[in-house]
C-alpha cells in the first residue's frame, strides 16, 4: 500500500544518483559486480513505482564520464549490464508505456551497446507514459560543452544570432532539452554531492540524500523522498509569503 495520499505534491521530474552498489556488496563480502547486479533490480523497482505513482519524468544516473576511470573489468561489467538490462527490460517497459531515452556521450560505447540503445529508444518512442532518461556516459560538463558546440556551429553557419542565445533557447540544446527541470534529486549511498550530474538542470531542484545503499532502495524509500519533497516550500528566490 502506498503511504502517499492526495495531500502529497508529486514531483513532475525525479532525478536519481543511484550510488552505493559497491559498498552494499562489500558489506556482504561479495564482489562489486554482484552489487551492480542487485542495483539493476532496485532500478526496476524504482521505475515501476514511478509508473504507478504517475511521475512524468525520471532521470537515472547509470554511468558517469568519470566512471570510465574505474578498472577495465568494472567498466566492462557495468556497460555489459546496461546492454543486458536494456534488452531484458524492454517488454516490461513497453507494457508499462514507458518512453526511454539514453542521454550522454555514446560515441565510446561498443557497437553492441549502441545498437541496444537505439533498439529500445525506437521500440518505446510512441509510448505516452513515464519518460525515462538513462544518463550513461553522462557528465554535466560534457552536456554543457556539447550544447555550446551546437550553438557555436549554428552561430557560425548564420542560423542563430548571438542575441537569440538566452537561458531558455540554450537549454534546448542540452540532453534534456524541452524537459521540465528535475523537481527532486535523490542520491542514495550517503554522499552529499552532485558528482557532475545534471549541473544546469539541478539549479533549483530539491535535494534529498539518504544513507540507503542503492540495492536496498525500495518503494517505501522512494515514497519517503517524495514525502520530504512534498513538505518543502520552494521559493525560487522569492519570499515565503
Ligand atoms: C553506483 O555504485 C554505480 C555506479 C557508479 C556506476 P558504486 O559502484 O559507485 O558503489 P560505491 O559508491 O562504490 O558503493
Ligand atoms: C555517481 O556515483 C555516478 C553514478 C551513480 C552513475 P559515483 O560513485 O561515481 O560518484 P563519486 O565518485 O562518489 O562522486
Ligand atoms: Mg559510488
Amino acid at each position: 500500500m502506498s503511504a502517499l495520499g492526495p495531500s502529497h505534491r508529486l514531483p513532475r521530474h525525479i532525478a536519481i544518483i543511484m550510488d552505493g552498489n559497491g559498498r552494499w556488496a562489500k558489506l556482504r563480502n561479495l564482489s562489486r559486480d554482484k552489487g551492480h547486479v542487485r542495483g539493476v533490480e532496485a532500478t526496476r523497482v524504482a521505475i515501476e513505482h514511478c509508473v504507478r505513482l504517475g511521475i512524468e519524468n525520471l532521470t537515472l544516473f547509470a554511468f558517469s564520464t568519470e566512471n570510465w576511470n574505474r578498472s577495465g573489468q568494472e567498466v566492462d561489467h557495468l556497460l555489459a549490464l546496461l546492454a543486458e538490462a536494456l534488452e531484458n527490460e524492454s517488454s516490461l517497459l513497453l507494457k508499462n508505456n514507458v518512453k526511454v531515452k539514453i542521454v550522454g556521450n555514446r560515441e565510446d560505447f561498443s557497437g553492441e551497446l549502441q545498437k541496444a540503445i537505439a533498439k529500445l529508444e525506437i521500440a518505446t518512442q510512441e509510448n505516452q507514459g513515464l519518460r525515462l532518461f538513462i544518463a550513461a556516459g553522462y557528465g554535466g560538463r560534457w552536456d554543457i560543452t556539447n550544447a555550446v558546440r551546437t550553438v557555436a556551429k549554428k552561430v557560425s553557419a548564420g542560423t542563430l544570432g548571438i542575441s537569440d542565445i538566452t537561458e531558455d533557447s540554450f537549454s534546448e540544446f542540452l540532453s534534456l532539452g524541452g524537459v521540465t527541470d528535475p523537481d527532486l534529486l535523490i542520491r542514495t549511498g550517503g554522499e552529499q554531492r552532485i558528482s557532475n550530474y545534471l549541473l544546469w538542470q539541478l539549479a533549483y531542484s530539491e535535494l534529498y540524500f539518504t544513507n540507503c545503499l542503492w540495492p536496498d532502495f525500495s518503494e517505501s524509500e522512494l515514497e519517503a523522498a517524495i514525502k520530504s519533497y512534498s513538505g518543502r516550500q520552494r521559493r525560487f528566490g522569492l519570499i515565503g509569503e
Side-chain angles (χ1 to χ4, degrees):
M1 242 249 330
S2 173
L4 291 175
S7 65
H8 290 109
R9 191 165 37 97
L10 288 179
R12 289 182 63 198
H13 186 171
I14 300 178
I16 309 185
I17 300 176
M18 312 183 289
D19 195 22
N21 294 349
R23 279 162 286 162
W24 181 93
K26 195 168 182 207
L27 281 169
R28 289 160 181 78
N29 282 319
L30 298 170
S31 66
R32 294 181 59 84
D33 286 0
K34 290 274 186 334
H36 295 315
V37 170
R38 290 297 293 264
V40 174
E41 288 173 29
T43 307
R44 185 188 308 119
V45 170
I47 294 169
E48 288 206 278
H49 205 47
C50 282
V51 169
R52 273 192 293 275
L53 293 173
I55 302 296
E56 288 172 52
N57 304 284
L58 174 65
T59 305
L60 301 173
F61 207 178
F63 188 84
S64 74
T65 45
E66 288 72 26
N67 290 150
W68 282 111
N69 299 322
R70 294 194 181 187
S71 75
Q73 187 278 333
E74 184 162 351
V75 168
D76 288 349
H77 182 248
L78 280 166
L79 296 179
L81 263 185
L82 177 61
E84 201 182 296
L86 298 179
E87 191 98 29
N88 292 348
E89 305 302 325
S90 172
S91 55
L92 197 67
L93 293 166
L94 279 167
K95 194 185 93 191
N96 280 310
N97 202 19
V98 177
K99 178 172 180 164
V100 185
K101 187 175 173 205
I102 282 58
V103 294
N105 183 3
R106 38 181 108 165
E107 280 170 18
D108 298 324
F109 291 160
S110 67
E112 193 193 359
L113 178 53
Q114 293 193 31
K115 261 190 229 146
I117 289 173
K119 196 172 159 199
L120 186 60
E121 286 180 338
I122 292 166
T124 63
Q125 67 187 353
E126 303 298 335
N127 286 352
Q128 301 290 322
L130 173 72
R131 286 198 290 181
L132 171 64
F133 300 96
I134 300 175
Y138 180 87
R141 289 181 176 177
W142 167 81
D143 199 358
I144 293 168
T145 308
N146 197 46
V148 168
R149 281 209 190 114
T150 309
V151 166
K153 272 187 209 148
K154 287 186 182 291
V155 170
S156 65
T159 55
L160 184 72
I162 289 180
S163 58
D164 297 326
I165 305 172
T166 60
E167 292 187 13
D168 281 346
S169 71
F170 178 75
S171 70
E172 291 294 321
F173 299 111
L174 294 164
S175 297
L176 295 179
V179 181
T180 185
D181 285 340
D183 302 293
L184 169 64
L185 169 77
I186 300 171
R187 181 174 186 142
T188 62
E191 312 297 350
Q192 304 196 353
R193 55 178 170 251
I194 301 299
S195 298
N196 196 17
Y197 200 23
L198 304 158
L199 297 180
W200 174 283
Q201 298 87 343
L202 293 175
Y204 255 107
S205 308
E206 296 296 326
L207 309 181
Y208 180 87
F209 299 104
T210 169
N211 290 327
C212 175
L213 301 170
W214 181 250
D216 292 327
F217 195 77
S218 61
E219 283 109 333
S220 60
E221 295 283 345
L222 177 63
E223 293 193 5
I226 295 174
K227 262 192 190 167
S228 165
Y229 164 82
S230 166
R232 297 186 193 185
Q233 185 192 45
R234 303 184 78 188
R235 288 194 289 279
F236 299 103
L238 302 172
I239 56 172
E241 288 142 36

